[in-house]
Amino acid sequence: QDAVRKRFGVAASQLRIYLHYQPSYYHLHVHFTALAYDAPGCSVERAHLLADVIDNLALDPMYYQKQALSFTLRADEALLKRFQEAGRV
């Protein structure tokens, strides 16, 4: 947060820090965006707040092995087609 503040002038209180997970994205990565910016992919269906992830893991290190995570797919995504072919949607 300090690095973002120094480089971009955005205070920690004005940051949205979230991560993406599979299958909506194909590798785990973290975003730091200003709250004023409505970033694509920052919605609850495709992202998790980093603070929530840290809290969940602090409560239970196995949290994400036990918890089902919902996600959305666009109608034109190949992964959706594969789910449909498998009778999962």
Side-chain angles (χ1 to χ4, degrees):
Q1 293 173 350
D2 285 341
V4 171
R5 182 185 51 74
K6 288 177 185 174
R7 179 163 179 141
F8 300 103
V10 179
S13 64
Q14 295 302 304
L15 285 175
R16 176 186 296 119
I17 306 169
Y18 60 96
L19 57 91
H20 289 141
Y21 62 96
Q22 289 194 23
S24 56
Y25 296 90
Y26 296 102
H27 61 278
L28 178 71
H29 56 280
V30 178
H31 290 269
F32 290 74
T33 62
L35 288 175
Y37 175 59
D38 186 20
C42 75
S43 63
V44 70
E45 300 89 8
R46 290 193 170 242
H48 290 277
L49 295 176
L50 182 59
D52 291 345
V53 171
I54 292 169
D55 287 345
N56 291 339
L57 292 172
L59 288 171
D60 181 358
M62 303 296 285
Y63 181 88
Y64 290 100
Q65 291 183 12
K66 299 174 185 176
Q67 180 65 35
L69 298 176
S70 299
F71 58 92
T72 60
L73 294 171
R74 292 184 311 269
D76 62 345
E77 287 188 71
L79 184 58
L80 177 59
K81 183 178 180 183
R82 295 192 66 183
F83 274 118
Q84 290 168 331
E85 290 168 351
R88 303 288 305 265
V89 177

